[in-house]
Amino acid sequence: MSDCSGNCSSCSEKCSEKDMHFKQNNASNIKKIFAVVSGKGGVGKSSVTCRLASAMQSLGKQCAVLDADVTGPSVPKMFGLKGRAVADGTGILPMETNTGIRVMSVNLLLETEDSPVVWRGPVISGVIQQFFTEVAWGDVDYMFIDMPPGTGDVPLTVFQSIPVDGIIVVTTPQDLVSLIVKKAVNMAKMMNVPIVGIIENMSVFVCPDCGKAHRIFGGDDGAEIAKQVGTELLASLPIDPKTPALADKGAIELADMEEFLPVARKLIEI
């Protein structure tokens, strides 16, 4: 329902007995779907999404990234994708990165990449539906959905209408961030979406001169946050100036993926 609060305990609609999921495009065969969420912006969620997809692709799996951050899309920029997506008789065709990752984002449909998206919630939710139902994704082993921050219309649409196999939560070591992350985790639990684990980004800064690690943001570490919300810490990523530099150049696929390979293998086990 359009006015759904996500709380099924006091609702008489019996949605759990209905198939509320969007249907894939006839030219799509998406096997597993994982959403990458944060609850708060600025924690490196899109970077984590792109690097995780790159790591999975390096393991021989066909990956795709659905950029659900409609008002703040950054995935095409990180992958170096420009121009506008085209369509044929099967549907809208996703663009492919240098390693073959298939990507769809609103920035691949706008006249210019800096055109603002000034749309209300229902229109944005409709775009998410189109990305899932009208894009000819082809055979995809793993789709990663780059979610916008917060617990608004888009997360509600994705969790209700797309068969998500689990979420990966991105956080940074700050008390404020950990509080907001808990909101995102609790939303997923409320909607019965499995939580795979937490990736702590910008965990420490390693001094290039002395090699000492500094927790410059303070706050609880990722392991403590994972414990508080009843899940596990998948990876702890240090601050690495090389990664944002590669993202700015559209070469995020060249970033070090050592920390992401164990996460990718865990997703394969799931």
Short mmCIF file of all heavy atoms in Angstrom, two decimals, residues 212-268:
data_model
loop_
_atom_site.label_atom_id
_atom_site.label_comp_id
_atom_site.label_asym_id
_atom_site.label_seq_id
_atom_site.Cartn_x
_atom_site.Cartn_y
_atom_site.Cartn_z
N LYS A 212 51.97 4.27 12.60
CA LYS A 212 51.04 4.12 13.71
C LYS A 212 49.62 4.41 13.24
O LYS A 212 49.38 5.32 12.47
CB LYS A 212 51.41 5.06 14.86
CG LYS A 212 50.55 4.88 16.11
CD LYS A 212 51.02 5.80 17.23
CE LYS A 212 50.14 5.62 18.47
NZ LYS A 212 50.58 6.49 19.59
N ALA A 213 48.66 3.61 13.72
CA ALA A 213 47.25 3.79 13.35
C ALA A 213 46.57 4.71 14.35
O ALA A 213 46.71 4.54 15.56
CB ALA A 213 46.54 2.44 13.31
N HIS A 214 45.84 5.68 13.84
CA HIS A 214 45.14 6.64 14.69
C HIS A 214 43.64 6.57 14.40
O HIS A 214 43.22 6.63 13.24
CB HIS A 214 45.63 8.07 14.41
CG HIS A 214 47.08 8.27 14.66
ND1 HIS A 214 47.59 8.63 15.88
CD2 HIS A 214 48.15 8.14 13.82
CE1 HIS A 214 48.92 8.74 15.79
NE2 HIS A 214 49.27 8.44 14.56
N ARG A 215 42.84 6.47 15.46
CA ARG A 215 41.38 6.52 15.30
C ARG A 215 40.95 7.98 15.42
O ARG A 215 40.55 8.44 16.48
CB ARG A 215 40.69 5.64 16.34
CG ARG A 215 40.96 4.16 16.15
CD ARG A 215 40.13 3.30 17.09
NE ARG A 215 38.70 3.44 16.89
CZ ARG A 215 38.01 2.77 15.96
NH1 ARG A 215 38.62 1.92 15.15
NH2 ARG A 215 36.71 2.96 15.84
N ILE A 216 41.02 8.69 14.30
CA ILE A 216 40.86 10.14 14.35
C ILE A 216 39.41 10.57 14.55
O ILE A 216 39.15 11.71 14.91
CB ILE A 216 41.43 10.80 13.08
CG1 ILE A 216 40.73 10.26 11.84
CG2 ILE A 216 42.92 10.57 12.98
CD1 ILE A 216 41.21 10.91 10.55
N PHE A 217 38.46 9.67 14.30
CA PHE A 217 37.05 10.03 14.49
C PHE A 217 36.53 9.65 15.86
O PHE A 217 35.45 10.09 16.25
CB PHE A 217 36.18 9.36 13.42
CG PHE A 217 36.41 9.90 12.05
CD1 PHE A 217 36.79 9.07 11.02
CD2 PHE A 217 36.24 11.25 11.78
CE1 PHE A 217 37.01 9.56 9.75
CE2 PHE A 217 36.44 11.76 10.51
CZ PHE A 217 36.83 10.91 9.48
N GLY A 218 37.25 8.78 16.58
CA GLY A 218 36.79 8.35 17.89
C GLY A 218 35.54 7.49 17.78
O GLY A 218 35.28 6.87 16.77
N GLY A 219 34.76 7.46 18.85
CA GLY A 219 33.51 6.70 18.82
C GLY A 219 33.72 5.21 18.91
O GLY A 219 34.85 4.71 18.98
N ASP A 220 32.61 4.48 18.89
CA ASP A 220 32.67 3.02 18.96
C ASP A 220 33.27 2.47 17.66
O ASP A 220 33.06 3.00 16.58
CB ASP A 220 31.27 2.43 19.14
CG ASP A 220 30.69 2.75 20.51
OD1 ASP A 220 31.48 2.95 21.44
OD2 ASP A 220 29.45 2.79 20.62
N ASP A 221 34.03 1.38 17.80
CA ASP A 221 34.55 0.76 16.59
C ASP A 221 33.48 -0.13 15.96
O ASP A 221 32.43 -0.38 16.53
CB ASP A 221 35.84 -0.01 16.87
CG ASP A 221 35.65 -1.15 17.86
OD1 ASP A 221 34.50 -1.60 18.04
OD2 ASP A 221 36.65 -1.60 18.44
N GLY A 222 33.77 -0.59 14.73
CA GLY A 222 32.79 -1.36 13.99
C GLY A 222 32.38 -2.62 14.70
O GLY A 222 31.20 -3.02 14.64
N ALA A 223 33.32 -3.28 15.38
CA ALA A 223 33.00 -4.52 16.08
C ALA A 223 31.99 -4.28 17.19
O ALA A 223 31.07 -5.09 17.41
CB ALA A 223 34.27 -5.15 16.63
N GLU A 224 32.13 -3.16 17.89
CA GLU A 224 31.21 -2.85 18.98
C GLU A 224 29.82 -2.53 18.44
O GLU A 224 28.80 -2.96 19.00
CB GLU A 224 31.74 -1.66 19.79
CG GLU A 224 30.84 -1.21 20.94
CD GLU A 224 30.61 -2.30 21.97
OE1 GLU A 224 31.48 -3.17 22.14
OE2 GLU A 224 29.53 -2.27 22.61
N ILE A 225 29.78 -1.77 17.33
CA ILE A 225 28.47 -1.46 16.73
C ILE A 225 27.80 -2.73 16.25
O ILE A 225 26.59 -2.93 16.45
CB ILE A 225 28.66 -0.47 15.56
CG1 ILE A 225 29.22 0.87 16.08
CG2 ILE A 225 27.33 -0.23 14.83
CD1 ILE A 225 29.58 1.85 15.00
N ALA A 226 28.57 -3.62 15.61
CA ALA A 226 28.01 -4.89 15.13
C ALA A 226 27.45 -5.70 16.29
O ALA A 226 26.37 -6.30 16.18
CB ALA A 226 29.09 -5.68 14.39
N LYS A 227 28.16 -5.70 17.40
CA LYS A 227 27.70 -6.43 18.58
C LYS A 227 26.39 -5.84 19.10
O LYS A 227 25.47 -6.57 19.48
CB LYS A 227 28.78 -6.39 19.67
CG LYS A 227 28.41 -7.13 20.94
CD LYS A 227 29.55 -7.04 21.96
CE LYS A 227 29.18 -7.74 23.26
NZ LYS A 227 30.28 -7.64 24.25
N GLN A 228 26.30 -4.51 19.10
CA GLN A 228 25.12 -3.84 19.64
C GLN A 228 23.87 -4.15 18.81
O GLN A 228 22.77 -4.22 19.36
CB GLN A 228 25.35 -2.33 19.68
CG GLN A 228 26.38 -1.89 20.71
CD GLN A 228 26.69 -0.41 20.62
OE1 GLN A 228 26.00 0.35 19.96
NE2 GLN A 228 27.76 0.01 21.29
N VAL A 229 24.04 -4.32 17.49
CA VAL A 229 22.87 -4.57 16.64
C VAL A 229 22.71 -6.05 16.31
O VAL A 229 21.82 -6.43 15.54
CB VAL A 229 22.95 -3.74 15.34
CG1 VAL A 229 22.96 -2.27 15.65
CG2 VAL A 229 24.16 -4.13 14.50
N GLY A 230 23.55 -6.90 16.89
CA GLY A 230 23.38 -8.34 16.73
C GLY A 230 23.82 -8.89 15.39
O GLY A 230 23.18 -9.81 14.86
N THR A 231 24.89 -8.35 14.83
CA THR A 231 25.41 -8.87 13.57
C THR A 231 26.93 -8.95 13.68
O THR A 231 27.49 -8.86 14.77
CB THR A 231 24.96 -8.01 12.38
OG1 THR A 231 25.35 -8.64 11.16
CG2 THR A 231 25.56 -6.61 12.44
N GLU A 232 27.63 -9.12 12.54
CA GLU A 232 29.08 -9.25 12.58
C GLU A 232 29.77 -8.16 11.78
O GLU A 232 29.17 -7.54 10.89
CB GLU A 232 29.51 -10.62 12.05
CG GLU A 232 29.20 -10.84 10.57
CD GLU A 232 29.76 -12.16 10.07
OE1 GLU A 232 30.99 -12.33 10.09
OE2 GLU A 232 28.95 -13.03 9.67
N LEU A 233 31.03 -7.92 12.13
CA LEU A 233 31.84 -6.96 11.39
C LEU A 233 32.48 -7.70 10.21
O LEU A 233 33.24 -8.63 10.39
CB LEU A 233 32.93 -6.37 12.29
CG LEU A 233 33.87 -5.36 11.63
CD1 LEU A 233 33.11 -4.10 11.23
CD2 LEU A 233 35.02 -5.02 12.58
N LEU A 234 32.13 -7.26 8.99
CA LEU A 234 32.64 -7.92 7.79
C LEU A 234 34.02 -7.43 7.40
O LEU A 234 34.85 -8.19 6.91
CB LEU A 234 31.67 -7.69 6.63
CG LEU A 234 30.25 -8.22 6.81
CD1 LEU A 234 29.37 -7.77 5.64
CD2 LEU A 234 30.25 -9.73 6.93
N ALA A 235 34.27 -6.13 7.58
CA ALA A 235 35.56 -5.55 7.18
C ALA A 235 35.73 -4.22 7.88
O ALA A 235 34.76 -3.53 8.21
CB ALA A 235 35.63 -5.36 5.66
N SER A 236 36.98 -3.87 8.13
CA SER A 236 37.32 -2.58 8.71
C SER A 236 38.31 -1.90 7.77
O SER A 236 39.44 -2.39 7.59
CB SER A 236 37.95 -2.78 10.11
OG SER A 236 38.16 -1.54 10.74
N LEU A 237 37.90 -0.82 7.15
CA LEU A 237 38.67 -0.20 6.08
C LEU A 237 39.38 1.06 6.57
O LEU A 237 38.73 1.99 7.07
CB LEU A 237 37.76 0.18 4.91
CG LEU A 237 36.80 -0.92 4.41
CD1 LEU A 237 35.90 -0.35 3.33
CD2 LEU A 237 37.58 -2.12 3.90
N PRO A 238 40.70 1.12 6.45
CA PRO A 238 41.43 2.32 6.86
C PRO A 238 41.22 3.46 5.86
O PRO A 238 40.77 3.24 4.72
CB PRO A 238 42.89 1.86 6.86
CG PRO A 238 42.93 0.78 5.82
CD PRO A 238 41.60 0.07 5.91
N ILE A 239 41.53 4.66 6.29
CA ILE A 239 41.50 5.81 5.37
C ILE A 239 42.66 5.68 4.40
O ILE A 239 43.82 5.56 4.80
CB ILE A 239 41.61 7.13 6.15
CG1 ILE A 239 40.41 7.29 7.08
CG2 ILE A 239 41.73 8.32 5.21
CD1 ILE A 239 40.52 8.48 8.02
N ASP A 240 42.34 5.66 3.12
CA ASP A 240 43.36 5.51 2.08
C ASP A 240 43.13 6.59 1.03
O ASP A 240 42.18 6.50 0.25
CB ASP A 240 43.28 4.13 1.45
CG ASP A 240 44.36 3.90 0.39
OD1 ASP A 240 45.20 4.79 0.22
OD2 ASP A 240 44.35 2.84 -0.25
N PRO A 241 43.98 7.62 0.97
CA PRO A 241 43.79 8.71 0.01
C PRO A 241 43.76 8.24 -1.44
O PRO A 241 43.21 8.93 -2.31
CB PRO A 241 45.00 9.63 0.26
CG PRO A 241 45.44 9.31 1.66
CD PRO A 241 45.16 7.86 1.83
N LYS A 242 44.32 7.06 -1.72
CA LYS A 242 44.34 6.57 -3.10
C LYS A 242 42.93 6.23 -3.61
O LYS A 242 42.63 6.40 -4.79
CB LYS A 242 45.23 5.33 -3.20
CG LYS A 242 46.69 5.57 -2.88
CD LYS A 242 47.48 4.26 -2.94
CE LYS A 242 48.93 4.48 -2.54
NZ LYS A 242 49.69 3.20 -2.54
N THR A 243 42.07 5.75 -2.71
CA THR A 243 40.74 5.32 -3.14
C THR A 243 39.89 6.47 -3.65
O THR A 243 39.34 6.39 -4.75
CB THR A 243 40.02 4.58 -1.99
OG1 THR A 243 40.79 3.42 -1.63
CG2 THR A 243 38.64 4.14 -2.42
N PRO A 244 39.74 7.59 -2.89
CA PRO A 244 38.94 8.70 -3.45
C PRO A 244 39.57 9.30 -4.70
O PRO A 244 38.85 9.78 -5.58
CB PRO A 244 38.89 9.72 -2.30
CG PRO A 244 39.96 9.32 -1.35
CD PRO A 244 40.13 7.86 -1.49
N ALA A 245 40.90 9.25 -4.80
CA ALA A 245 41.56 9.76 -6.00
C ALA A 245 41.19 8.92 -7.22
O ALA A 245 40.91 9.44 -8.30
CB ALA A 245 43.08 9.76 -5.80
N LEU A 246 41.14 7.59 -7.04
CA LEU A 246 40.73 6.70 -8.13
C LEU A 246 39.26 6.90 -8.48
O LEU A 246 38.88 6.87 -9.65
CB LEU A 246 41.00 5.25 -7.76
CG LEU A 246 42.46 4.81 -7.72
CD1 LEU A 246 42.60 3.42 -7.12
CD2 LEU A 246 43.07 4.83 -9.13
N ALA A 247 38.43 7.11 -7.46
CA ALA A 247 37.00 7.34 -7.70
C ALA A 247 36.79 8.62 -8.50
O ALA A 247 35.96 8.66 -9.43
CB ALA A 247 36.25 7.41 -6.38
N ASP A 248 37.55 9.66 -8.19
CA ASP A 248 37.43 10.93 -8.92
C ASP A 248 37.84 10.76 -10.38
O ASP A 248 37.32 11.46 -11.25
CB ASP A 248 38.30 12.00 -8.26
CG ASP A 248 37.73 12.48 -6.93
OD1 ASP A 248 36.53 12.24 -6.69
OD2 ASP A 248 38.48 13.08 -6.14
N LYS A 249 38.75 9.85 -10.63
CA LYS A 249 39.22 9.61 -12.00
C LYS A 249 38.35 8.60 -12.75
O LYS A 249 38.62 8.31 -13.92
CB LYS A 249 40.66 9.10 -11.96
CG LYS A 249 41.68 10.10 -11.44
CD LYS A 249 43.07 9.47 -11.38
CE LYS A 249 44.10 10.45 -10.82
NZ LYS A 249 45.46 9.83 -10.71
N GLY A 250 37.34 8.06 -12.08
CA GLY A 250 36.49 7.05 -12.72
C GLY A 250 37.16 5.70 -12.81
O GLY A 250 36.83 4.90 -13.69
N ALA A 251 38.09 5.44 -11.90
CA ALA A 251 38.85 4.19 -11.94
C ALA A 251 38.75 3.44 -10.63
O ALA A 251 39.74 2.84 -10.17
CB ALA A 251 40.31 4.50 -12.28
N ILE A 252 37.58 3.42 -10.02
CA ILE A 252 37.41 2.77 -8.73
C ILE A 252 37.70 1.27 -8.81
O ILE A 252 38.07 0.64 -7.81
CB ILE A 252 35.97 3.00 -8.20
CG1 ILE A 252 35.85 2.60 -6.73
CG2 ILE A 252 34.94 2.25 -9.05
CD1 ILE A 252 36.58 3.49 -5.79
N GLU A 253 37.58 0.69 -10.01
CA GLU A 253 37.86 -0.74 -10.17
C GLU A 253 39.34 -1.07 -9.93
O GLU A 253 39.69 -2.24 -9.75
CB GLU A 253 37.44 -1.20 -11.56
CG GLU A 253 35.94 -1.22 -11.76
CD GLU A 253 35.54 -1.35 -13.22
OE1 GLU A 253 35.82 -0.42 -13.99
OE2 GLU A 253 34.95 -2.38 -13.58
N LEU A 254 40.20 -0.05 -9.96
CA LEU A 254 41.62 -0.27 -9.74
C LEU A 254 41.99 -0.17 -8.26
O LEU A 254 43.14 -0.42 -7.91
CB LEU A 254 42.44 0.74 -10.54
CG LEU A 254 42.27 0.71 -12.06
CD1 LEU A 254 43.13 1.79 -12.71
CD2 LEU A 254 42.63 -0.66 -12.61
N ALA A 255 41.04 0.18 -7.41
CA ALA A 255 41.32 0.31 -5.97
C ALA A 255 41.62 -1.06 -5.37
O ALA A 255 41.17 -2.10 -5.87
CB ALA A 255 40.14 0.96 -5.26
N ASP A 256 42.38 -1.04 -4.29
CA ASP A 256 42.74 -2.28 -3.61
C ASP A 256 41.47 -2.98 -3.12
O ASP A 256 40.62 -2.37 -2.47
CB ASP A 256 43.66 -1.96 -2.42
CG ASP A 256 44.14 -3.20 -1.71
OD1 ASP A 256 43.95 -4.31 -2.25
OD2 ASP A 256 44.73 -3.07 -0.62
N MET A 257 41.31 -4.24 -3.45
CA MET A 257 40.11 -4.98 -3.05
C MET A 257 40.41 -6.09 -2.06
O MET A 257 39.58 -6.96 -1.83
CB MET A 257 39.42 -5.54 -4.30
CG MET A 257 40.23 -6.53 -5.09
SD MET A 257 39.34 -7.10 -6.59
CE MET A 257 39.37 -5.63 -7.62
N GLU A 258 41.59 -6.06 -1.45
CA GLU A 258 41.99 -7.13 -0.53
C GLU A 258 40.97 -7.32 0.59
O GLU A 258 40.62 -8.44 0.95
CB GLU A 258 43.37 -6.83 0.05
CG GLU A 258 43.87 -7.89 1.01
CD GLU A 258 45.25 -7.57 1.58
OE1 GLU A 258 45.88 -6.60 1.10
OE2 GLU A 258 45.69 -8.29 2.49
N GLU A 259 40.49 -6.18 1.17
CA GLU A 259 39.55 -6.29 2.29
C GLU A 259 38.17 -6.76 1.84
O GLU A 259 37.37 -7.25 2.64
CB GLU A 259 39.40 -4.93 3.00
CG GLU A 259 40.68 -4.41 3.64
CD GLU A 259 41.41 -3.43 2.73
OE1 GLU A 259 41.14 -3.45 1.51
OE2 GLU A 259 42.24 -2.66 3.24
N PHE A 260 37.87 -6.63 0.52
CA PHE A 260 36.53 -6.95 0.04
C PHE A 260 36.40 -8.39 -0.44
O PHE A 260 35.28 -8.90 -0.52
CB PHE A 260 36.15 -5.99 -1.09
CG PHE A 260 35.87 -4.60 -0.62
CD1 PHE A 260 36.89 -3.65 -0.52
CD2 PHE A 260 34.60 -4.22 -0.24
CE1 PHE A 260 36.65 -2.38 -0.08
CE2 PHE A 260 34.33 -2.95 0.22
CZ PHE A 260 35.36 -2.01 0.29
N LEU A 261 37.48 -9.03 -0.74
CA LEU A 261 37.40 -10.41 -1.23
C LEU A 261 36.78 -11.36 -0.20
O LEU A 261 35.93 -12.18 -0.56
CB LEU A 261 38.78 -10.89 -1.67
CG LEU A 261 39.31 -10.25 -2.96
CD1 LEU A 261 40.76 -10.67 -3.21
CD2 LEU A 261 38.44 -10.61 -4.15
N PRO A 262 37.15 -11.28 1.10
CA PRO A 262 36.48 -12.15 2.07
C PRO A 262 34.98 -11.88 2.17
O PRO A 262 34.18 -12.80 2.37
CB PRO A 262 37.19 -11.82 3.39
CG PRO A 262 38.52 -11.27 2.98
CD PRO A 262 38.26 -10.51 1.72
N VAL A 263 34.58 -10.60 2.02
CA VAL A 263 33.16 -10.26 2.07
C VAL A 263 32.45 -10.88 0.86
O VAL A 263 31.36 -11.44 0.97
CB VAL A 263 32.96 -8.73 2.09
CG1 VAL A 263 31.48 -8.40 2.21
CG2 VAL A 263 33.73 -8.09 3.23
N ALA A 264 33.08 -10.76 -0.31
CA ALA A 264 32.49 -11.34 -1.52
C ALA A 264 32.33 -12.83 -1.38
O ALA A 264 31.29 -13.41 -1.76
CB ALA A 264 33.36 -10.98 -2.73
N ARG A 265 33.34 -13.49 -0.83
CA ARG A 265 33.26 -14.96 -0.67
C ARG A 265 32.16 -15.33 0.33
O ARG A 265 31.49 -16.35 0.17
CB ARG A 265 34.61 -15.49 -0.20
CG ARG A 265 35.72 -15.35 -1.27
CD ARG A 265 36.98 -16.08 -0.88
NE ARG A 265 38.01 -15.95 -1.90
CZ ARG A 265 39.04 -15.10 -1.84
NH1 ARG A 265 39.17 -14.32 -0.75
NH2 ARG A 265 39.92 -15.03 -2.80
N LYS A 266 31.95 -14.48 1.34
CA LYS A 266 30.88 -14.76 2.31
C LYS A 266 29.52 -14.66 1.61
O LYS A 266 28.62 -15.47 1.85
CB LYS A 266 30.94 -13.77 3.47
CG LYS A 266 29.83 -13.99 4.50
CD LYS A 266 29.95 -13.05 5.66
CE LYS A 266 28.82 -13.26 6.65
NZ LYS A 266 28.80 -14.61 7.22
N LEU A 267 29.36 -13.68 0.73
CA LEU A 267 28.11 -13.53 0.00
C LEU A 267 27.87 -14.73 -0.91
O LEU A 267 26.73 -15.17 -1.09
CB LEU A 267 28.11 -12.24 -0.82
CG LEU A 267 28.20 -10.95 -0.02
CD1 LEU A 267 28.14 -9.75 -0.97
CD2 LEU A 267 27.08 -10.85 1.02
N ILE A 268 28.95 -15.26 -1.48
CA ILE A 268 28.82 -16.46 -2.32
C ILE A 268 28.35 -17.64 -1.49
O ILE A 268 27.51 -18.44 -1.93
CB ILE A 268 30.16 -16.77 -3.02
CG1 ILE A 268 30.49 -15.68 -4.04
CG2 ILE A 268 30.12 -18.14 -3.70
CD1 ILE A 268 31.87 -15.82 -4.67
#
